[in-house]
Amino acid sequence: MSRIPVPRTGRTVAVLALAAGLLGLLGLLGAPPGAPSSPRSSPVAAVAAVAENTTTVFYWTKTKNWASPHLHYAPDGGSWTSVPGVAMEPACTDWVKRTVNLGTATGLRATFNDGSGTWDNNGGRNYALGTGSVTVKDGVVAHSDPCSGSTPSPAAEATVYYSTEALGWSTVNLHHQPAGGAWTTVPGVGMQAACPGWWKRTVDLGTAGSLRAAFNNGNGTWDNNGGSDYTIGTGVSTVRNRVVTAHAADPCAATPPDTRAPTAPARVTATADGVSVLLSWDPATDDRGVTKYQVTRVGGSGGTVVTDVTSTVYSDTGLAERTAYTYTVRAVDAAGNVSAASAPATATTGDRPATPATGKPLGTDPRKDPIYFVLTARFNDGDASNDRGGSQHVKSGNAAHGDPMFRGDFKGLIEKLDYVKGLGFSAIWVTPVVLNRSDYDYHGYHGWDFYKVDPRLESAGASYQDLIDAAHAKGMKIYQDVVYNHSSRWGAKGLFVPTVYGVRDSQWSWYYDEKQPGFEYDGLTVDAKSGTSYYNGDLWSTAEPAGNTCVNWGRPTGGKSAEGYTVYNCQWPSPTSGIFPKALYHQCWIGNWEGEDSRSCWLHEDLADFDTESPAVQSYLIGAYDKYIDMGVDGFRVDTAVHVPRTTWNRRFLPAIQERVTQRHGAGAAANFFVFGEVAAFVNDKWNRGSVNHSAQFYTWKERKEYDADDAKAALEMYAYEQQRGTGDQPTSTNAFLDGNSYHTPDHSRFSGMNVIDMRMHMNFGDAQNAFSNGKDSDDSYNDATYNVVYVDSHDYGPNKSSERYAGGTDAWAENMSLMWTFRGIPTLYYGSEIEFQKGKKIDCGPSCPLADTGRAYFGDHVAGSVTATDFSQVSAASGAVADTLRQPLVRHVQRLNQIRRAIPALQTGQYSTEGVTGGMAFKRRWTSGPTDSFALVTVSGGASFTGVPNGTYTDAVTGDVRTVTDGTLSVAAPGKGNLRVYVLNGPGRIGEAGPYLK
């Protein structure tokens, strides 16, 4: 070395302490054998380990060839010797030694040097040495006397490393018993700090082959492996999160400098779309992981442009028309090593679109915006010319009701934006807008062309862009439902469309359209030859197509259709037939909904499961959803999010969303672009049947370790790792909770970028009290539960996995709403629930019954007429059926709830607490930012008492009642079912007028 390294003198190993509750999950409180029965309370437990007096340090010099070796040391807790330390004396061949008096210390830190500026400081970490005879040979520490002629066999020693990363202990003792021997005196012998998060001790086993062990912090807190103690063998072992790894690598071994560059990215493709180019490539590999990519563009008038991206997809926008651009990509690792450039990819732009996207997200905190959820095709029909019944129109019974499945549209929604605003909602969640393709695809979840808006939803002057712009003009957001997990059973146009076996014989001619070159399915245009079909001539072939991978092409299966017709192999898309390429789609059916296969197999025959770990699939989806980001949507509701690995969300899709929003609309818009996932868990557990990988809160967190660079391997590694860590060893957060009565700045540093639907509250909304209790119980496991999307029922289920729309009664609905609009999270209402629309009706029965009899019935009749909203919750004029709708009790209830929530910041973005609060559904909330300090005391339905609250004047936002608190206590009488009280410190007074419930 050219300079003296700085010894780690006096450096303290700092370990972040977790919440006190986390300690309990490791089962640390039981006493180990040989310890007092109650080590937490026993005064003996706090006694420090008896220190040994000396350490004789032997140092191997054969590989150093030093003439004057020196030992530079510091007893634990003491000071370092002066540089270069004390000279060591010859011991025996190739060894020198020095005996150090430790006093009361239990070990020492040490470095070695030649007395002339050349050092061995263990790679910058120094050596942690214990007591007795200790050898240091080429960086390896052992306990022996190499000059005694009776060096103990390595089998007679056990070196134990103990991890405290999840504990926050500042001291660690090892209480142990060699096999057949006696336990050490409580609390055992002190362990030495080895490296951040790890403590070390080498135990002389004598003739024993193993030892039993427990660990403690010297102050009565124990880890005795849940009462079973640990069994540790000879050699090096690690103990981390109650897992013993025998013959382990030294966790504190110096990591060699990273000098290896990643591989060059492969298969770079560039595709032009107007004046944008979508670039994608396969992930590069690196021995320690790729952290980013450098995209270099050459061409046009801009010269050479280099852009850093974190995913394997990049959309380059705003380019010159009809210009060739060439791109290369380099991979970069954490050490800054840069790969060679990829092979170049070139694309030539086209013409600039005549009508470029005009939208821009509103970019405000999503917690301020209550959500109204509509099935666009079932909400309101503004244009009958785009109505379509599909192949199941007659069979389903929809024809008899004059109710085509595709009925509502963007024009109908635009016409009723004032209805939604008049209810008080400032965000609308619309079902997927991409072109769908299946027999019954009105809901939007059978996506076929992800780059095209379904024309059955659009009209002249009422495109999707027009809807976004119209909503924004009224101060309302559009959240688009998006699907990354699957396409329709007919694949995804532009990625892969399967060809099935078909024959237009006497049995099947009715089913297969004649092929028409140049005719393309769009869901809207009827096949002229059939006069009724929406065309499937592009999907079938009698002759085996080139490149076919489907097994037993065209052979009869031996089965018959419902009509008695012969059924053939490869006649229907399936994951197991080989019809879908393995490089793009998964090849299996889900067997275990809480197993790994739920993330890598098909949900249903109509939902072809993407291999989302495939770079080609990732590029296709990212490019598609970039289109809608560019149009100015305000967020994405992510369908079937649980069926895509968290690693893929965190590595690919979520960063791509953030990068695109930032690029197109700025960092402020990106910070508030709201992504909320459907992680379906239909149980009342905090963790979905004990599976962390299938629980909603799991998806709100970043990864906490690195996995393989290959996404498919990383998904499996993450699944196994997190399942092994289990429910008791997941991250926790206080972001949703007050600190006493005080708001604190939340820590979102480990936030993944995805928020979630609150499935646990949803499942328990059969009774508001249950929903409240279950919600509170889960909130420490989300990154920030104040962003949870909360609803009672939806287009899929009612509470407790009911298949019917909620029918608990008007009073219960009012109570549920009162809780949702005041408790943490974002209240969300499924269309029509404001009038208990279709209550008790089966939500979905497919084409086996008419939609008019289900929870997805057409709503337009209830909003017919005219309506004008002057502000949120304020309707200035209404006529026709919509005027009657607006007079309904729950409509008036939700209008006033929205008024109250909008006027009190604490109810929108505040943290909450039930500390010092008695009552069934009672809590306090606060939000503080700059000059704004909003503090509210809330009780729903029942009475409550609040103690330890700040003194001052509180005004109820419901009644206007004023209370002056001088002793930190405020008591509230029960307002009645569905009613509530919201006492606000220095509040604005009564908000709105008394209604059927808020009075």
Side-chain angles (χ1 to χ4, degrees), residues 334-537:
N337 299 308
V338 181
S339 75
S342 69
T346 300
T348 301
T349 57
D351 294 332
R352 191 174 305 279
T355 55
T358 59
K360 184 176 179 63
L362 295 183
T364 55
D365 192 319
R367 294 173 295 178
K368 297 181 179 181
D369 300 300
I371 302 169
Y372 192 74
F373 170 35
V374 300
L375 266 72
T376 310
R378 307 302 301 158
F379 182 65
N380 185 53
D381 191 6
D383 179 6
S385 70
N386 60 11
D387 293 357
R388 293 294 184 270
S391 63
Q392 304 297 308
H393 190 46
V394 174
K395 177 182 177 181
S396 64
N398 289 339
H401 288 76
D403 184 26
M405 61 170 183
F406 262 98
R407 189 173 177 183
D409 46 38
F410 295 143
K411 184 176 182 181
L413 183 51
I414 291 171
E415 290 174 350
K416 300 305 173 186
L417 287 176
D418 270 23
Y419 170 74
V420 180
K421 185 170 184 175
L423 294 177
F425 292 93
S426 49
I428 301 175
W429 156 15
V430 296
T431 39
V433 304
V434 305
L435 176 58
N436 269 228
R437 192 170 192 178
S438 79
D439 292 332
Y440 214 51
D441 57 1
Y442 66 95
H443 42 66
Y445 298 101
H446 294 169
W448 185 67
D449 188 345
F450 286 68
Y451 285 77
K452 182 176 182 178
V453 175
D454 200 308
R456 292 169 287 188
L457 298 174
E458 293 195 303
S459 309
S463 67
Y464 187 38
Q465 186 68 65
D466 292 327
L467 169 64
I468 295 167
D469 294 346
H472 287 174
K474 293 181 179 293
M476 302 167 70
K477 296 179 177 179
I478 295 293
Y479 295 148
Q480 179 179 325
D481 212 321
V482 295
V483 184
Y484 286 78
N485 176 67
H486 58 262
S487 69
S488 77
R489 67 168 179 264
W490 299 117
K493 182 186 175 185
L495 182 71
F496 174 76
V497 176
T499 298
V500 299
Y501 174 80
V503 56
R504 298 190 81 247
D505 58 12
S506 59
Q507 294 183 342
W508 289 104
S509 61
W510 65 274
Y511 185 76
Y512 296 108
D513 294 330
E514 292 185 51
K515 296 185 183 298
Q516 298 183 48
F519 188 93
E520 185 170 297
Y521 169 85
D522 64 5
L524 188 67
T525 307
V526 176
D527 173 19
K529 288 192 174 183
S530 71
T532 57
S533 170
Y534 298 99
Y535 192 61
N536 64 17

Side-chain angles (χ1 to χ4, degrees), residues 567-591:
V567 176
Y568 301 91
N569 282 300
C570 307
Q571 196 173 12
W572 191 261
S574 159
T576 57
S577 66
I579 203 168
F580 283 83
K582 293 181 180 179
L584 303 175
Y585 285 87
H586 291 132
Q587 309 287 305
C588 52
W589 296 105
I590 290 179

Side-chain angles (χ1 to χ4, degrees), residues 66 590 820:
W66 287 351
I590 290 179
M820 286 194 293

Side-chain angles (χ1 to χ4, degrees), residues 90-115:
C92 54
T93 303
D94 299 323
W95 290 94
V96 294
K97 72 176 182 179
R98 183 76 188 201
T99 298
V100 177
N101 190 337
L102 297 177
T104 59
T106 58
L108 74 159
R109 290 158 293 162
T111 64
F112 304 88
N113 64 87
D114 67 349

Side-chain angles (χ1 to χ4, degrees), residues 4 47 64 66 318 368 371 456 609 623 630 693 793:
I4 298 177
V47 177
K64 300 293 185 183
W66 287 351
K368 297 181 179 181
I371 302 169
R456 292 169 287 188
D609 200 75
D630 292 353
N693 280 279
D793 64 357

